[in-house]
Amino acid sequence: MLSHLPILQVILPLLGAPACLILGRGKLAWLFALLVSTLSFCIAATLLYTVYHHGVISYALGGWQAPWGIEYRIDLLNAWLLVIVSGSSTISLLAAQSSISTEITLDKQGLFYVAWLLCLAGLLGILATGDAFNVFVFLEISSLSTYTLISLGPNRQSLWAAFRYLIMGTIGATFILIGIGFMYIMTGTLNMADLAERLPSASESPTVFAAYAFILVGISLKLALFPLHLWLPNAYSQAPSIVTTFLAASATKVALYLLIRFTYTIFPSEFSQFIIPLADIFVALGIVAVFSASIAAIYQEEIKRAIAYSSIAQIGYMVIGLGIGGVLGLQAALIHVFNHALMKATLFMALAGIAVRIGATTLTSMQGLGRKMPWTSFGFVAGGLSLIGVPLTAGFISKWYLVSAAALAGRWPLVFLILLGSLLAIIYIWRVVEALYFKSAADNSPVKEAPLTMLIALWLLILGNVYFGIDTRLPVSISYEAATALVEGRP
Amino acid sequence: MTLLLTHYNYLVVVVLMMAGFFIVIAQGNLVKKLVGLNIFQTSVFILYISSGKITGGTAPILQDGITAYSNPLPHVLILTAIVVGIATTALGLALVIRIKKAYGTIEESEIQQRDHTC
């Protein structure tokens, strides 16, 4: 049983989805989806524990040995991501039923959980697999269900956002498919470990360069890296609130994982430099993303949209970490992946709670809510503080590691720019805090606190933000080990 | 030049890929966008399948006296990719129907106009 955990991780939500369809009704489907997601999280945690203490797990699908069969390969990097993704799915699902009760009609609620579990299965599949073509298949499973989830949003704009994401996402996935095809043509293999062995001998070929270029652009589209981020603000602001919580905490992280995996594991490190200064391009794009998206966030009236823009900025920080490179830069990116999942889930969860009670998340509609829904509003403040990077929150740790990575690399202008970017975050978070606590509401009718399940999920996230801002042993040690293994090219 | 003539299917791939990509970007009609997306994906299918051909190779069925076989793996991969493509198109068309119901149009410019006016 234990040796089959890598495949169970993916199969469980994949089979759970049709089972959810049979259960049909809203509440029952919700409980079942929550159960499946919790089990996935337990499996991911077990996998992380096993990998941390006993090293890489390789699982041959159907007993066909790699490189002929499909291999699932769990190392620290993807075990870490598996925990993040399944964890954020579980926390969001806990709050899902209360949140969608006002946004999605009852007859569609069962189907909502089917799409959710499929999305989870796809994301976990991308992480677990050690086969390049499998990545494409799982990417499409998760993408198709994501489009469905987004289109379930309350306004008609959600349909348009989903369609645009479908076009962009499919182009991105097809680019990745072309890249994988080129790699297969050059090496005759699809197994990632095998590719890493065989690609260096073909490294002179322009085909390999083209393969890397296609994959890079395809992943950047999925990652919403500036300037390929245009789909994200619409998709995140129009999707049902709880879907945004889940996607913001998981989907872009998985794309970042692919970027790291392809850059460090599959294409050997000397290779990632090719003829173009890739690291510098990453840093430059990251900085532009931080500033353009943060400034755009400041001018948004719809807060869900502002926080979506802030997501693009945070992705910028992660990519800056990648661009700085080395163990420290990579570690900073990996720590921020975890902390960003925590803080963005907190922020969007608080917004989801507000959306349930007052039906909108615009700045004016949120005025004076600090007194009416103190528990929910505090969630936004806590997430915001963490986003800015105030000490004793998780966000401080990621900023600290990012800044020290830049400083140790001797890139002082970069340190300055990162800190300046945080100041912008203060502005767009402060606007909301001001509306919540220092403006009086237009009408003084009382508003109830967010539903209990949402409050529990929200406060778990707040505690996570504080806990991982003080006790950093877990993310720091795991990200350090994972980064060292990647940089040194250990299997 | 002879390489281009003997490997003309790769030329077809490039032409289809660019044509499809152009349609996706340039067309304002959502159904036409999906058609372009389909052409774009199909070009990649041809790219994969072309790579499976081995000069002088026969169909990959074990037989005495034959040493060179074409590679069947790309076909299998593309079978999966075709299914993915169909699913994408189906979902895209379903969204177009919903958009038509909600907006009364499937032209990109008109949809954006209607979003801004209300």
Side-chain angles (χ1 to χ4, degrees):
Chain A
M1 182 69 185
L2 273 178
S3 61
H4 290 292
L5 281 183
I7 186 66
L8 276 175
Q9 175 82 85
V10 183
I11 284 287
L12 200 69
L14 196 64
L15 289 182
C20 215
L21 187 65
I22 297 168
L23 286 174
R25 291 211 318 277
K27 207 118 209 188
L28 217 56
W30 169 61
L31 280 174
F32 182 74
L34 185 61
L35 176 74
V36 169
S37 183
T38 313
L39 279 176
S40 300
F41 177 68
C42 295
I43 294 175
T46 318
L47 279 174
L48 182 64
Y49 179 83
T50 320
V51 171
Y52 192 70
H53 290 282
H54 306 289
V56 177
I57 304 172
S58 170
Y59 179 83
L61 228 66
W64 296 89
Q65 290 305 315
W68 296 281
I70 292 170
E71 180 194 20
Y72 277 19
R73 196 178 180 82
I74 315 284
D75 59 9
L76 261 181
L77 175 64
N78 51 14
W80 180 229
L81 266 294
L82 284 172
V83 169
I84 296 174
V85 169
S86 56
S88 55
S89 161
T90 310
I91 290 269
S92 323
L93 265 179
L94 181 64
Q97 183 60 25
S98 322
S99 176
I100 65 167
S101 60
T102 56
E103 285 176 337
I104 298 173
T105 52
L106 192 64
D107 57 320
K108 284 195 190 127
Q109 287 182 3
L111 295 171
F112 170 84
Y113 295 113
V114 176
W116 185 297
L117 285 181
L118 279 176
C119 183
L120 178 64
L123 293 174
L124 295 176
I126 298 173
L127 296 171
T129 188
D131 182 278
F133 194 79
N134 232 327
V135 166
F136 166 73
V137 176
F138 280 121
L139 188 70
E140 283 296 46
I141 292 178
S142 71
S143 302
L144 286 170
S145 39
T146 307
Y147 310 146
T148 319
L149 287 172
I150 290 171
S151 72
L152 286 168
N155 304 316
R156 66 176 182 180
Q157 280 94 328
S158 64
L159 295 170
W160 180 228
F163 187 85
R164 291 220 301 193
Y165 185 21
L166 181 134
I167 298 283
M168 298 281 256
T170 309
I171 291 174
T174 312
F175 268 44
I176 294 174
L177 185 63
I178 297 171
I180 292 169
F182 280 158
M183 291 199 301
Y184 178 68
I185 290 171
M186 291 312 291
T187 59
T189 181
L190 287 166
N191 183 281
M192 287 180 182
D194 219 26
L195 275 172
E197 255 172 49
R198 294 194 201 178
L199 274 175
S201 59
S203 65
E204 296 296 307
S205 158
T207 311
V208 177
F209 179 59
Y212 186 63
F214 269 114
I215 288 176
L216 204 62
V217 174
I219 293 173
S220 301
L221 250 171
K222 280 282 167 200
L223 179 65
L225 176 62
F226 182 90
L228 302 170
H229 64 281
L230 291 171
W231 59 268
L232 189 140
N234 277 320
Y236 278 18
S237 55
Q238 297 303 335
S241 308
I242 203 68
V243 172
T244 314
T245 313
F246 174 43
L247 290 182
S250 62
T252 46
K253 311 294 171 296
V254 172
L256 191 85
Y257 159 79
L258 280 180
L259 192 60
I260 295 175
R261 181 60 87 203
F262 275 100
T263 308
Y264 280 92
T265 309
I266 298 182
F267 290 92
S269 49
E270 67 264 31
F271 219 103
S272 305
Q273 280 145 31
F274 285 112
I275 29 177
I276 47 169
L278 196 63
D280 293 337
I281 293 176
F282 275 157
V283 171
L285 286 180
I287 289 173
V288 179
V290 168
F291 281 90
S292 67
S294 299
I295 290 169
I298 293 172
Y299 289 100
Q300 297 303 319
E301 164 67 14
E302 159 78 90
I303 298 307
K304 225 168 127 189
R305 202 176 166 81
I307 304 301
Y309 269 108
S310 143
S311 271
I312 299 170
Q314 302 299 318
I315 290 160
Y317 287 122
M318 295 171 209
V319 174
I320 291 175
L322 280 190
I324 295 171
V327 174
L328 264 178
L330 203 56
Q331 190 190 4
L334 287 177
I335 292 178
H336 197 44
V337 164
F338 175 69
N339 290 342
H340 177 246
L342 268 178
M343 58 178 111
K344 266 300 140 59
T346 315
L347 284 169
F348 278 121
M349 188 70 83
L351 288 175
I354 291 170
V356 166
R357 286 305 180 218
I358 63 172
T361 50
T362 52
L363 199 58
T364 39
S365 67
M366 283 163 72
Q367 283 173 357
L369 274 186
R371 251 160 271 134
K372 291 181 193 168
M373 344 173 38
W375 292 87
T376 318
S377 303
F378 182 75
F380 191 91
V381 178
L385 289 176
S386 186
L387 187 76
I388 296 165
V390 176
L392 295 184
T393 58
F396 175 71
I397 306 301
S398 26
K399 286 275 161 57
W400 175 262
Y401 273 87
L402 194 60
V403 166
S404 45
L408 279 175
R411 305 171 84 151
W412 294 103
L414 194 58
V415 172
F416 174 71
L417 287 171
I418 293 170
L419 295 176
L420 200 64
S422 306
L423 289 182
L424 290 175
I426 297 180
I427 300 178
Y428 60 75
I429 293 298
W430 175 253
R431 287 171 74 230
V432 185
V433 173
E434 194 187 4
L436 282 174
Y437 290 96
F438 300 105
K439 293 245 173 83
S440 47
D443 66 305
N444 271 324
S445 56
V447 180
K448 268 201 296 181
E449 201 58 71
L452 185 64
T453 48
M454 299 190 77
L455 275 184
I456 293 173
L458 180 62
W459 276 84
L460 280 176
L461 286 166
I462 296 174
L463 288 179
N465 268 308
V466 176
Y467 180 79
F468 289 108
I470 297 167
D471 180 8
T472 57
R473 278 171 303 181
L474 180 76
V476 168
S477 61
I478 288 174
S479 61
Y480 177 75
E481 293 286 328
T484 330
L486 282 170
V487 171
E488 289 171 3
R490 266 189 277 141
Chain B
M1 194 61 209
T2 46
L3 191 71
L4 279 182
L5 286 177
T6 49
H7 290 74
Y8 62 89
N9 34 0
Y10 289 99
L11 269 180
V12 173
V13 169
V14 172
V15 170
L16 279 180
M17 198 178 278
M18 290 304 112
F21 203 32
F22 180 77
I23 295 171
V24 174
I25 295 168
Q27 285 292 338
N29 185 301
L30 301 190
V31 175
K32 286 183 185 166
K33 264 186 196 293
L34 283 178
V35 171
L37 201 62
N38 251 311
I39 297 174
F40 180 56
Q41 288 182 311
T42 310
S43 73
V44 184
F45 303 164
I46 302 176
L47 171 75
Y48 266 74
I49 292 172
S50 302
S51 74
K53 174 68 184 166
I54 290 176
T55 316
T58 64
I61 303 163
L62 275 181
Q63 237 174 358
D64 291 335
I66 293 176
T67 49
Y69 295 102
S70 281
N71 185 356
L73 187 67
H75 298 72
V76 181
L77 296 179
I78 284 317
L79 216 55
T80 317
I82 289 173
V83 175
V84 169
I86 290 172
T88 311
T89 314
L91 182 62
L93 287 173
L95 279 174
V96 170
I97 293 173
R98 292 280 309 277
I99 287 174
K100 170 80 177 163
K101 273 187 192 155
Y103 286 89
T105 176
I106 53 167
E107 291 292 331
E108 188 178 1
S109 53
E110 290 175 28
I111 292 171
Q112 271 164 345
Q113 211 180 358
R114 271 163 224 209
D115 267 352
H116 284 296
T117 47
C118 58

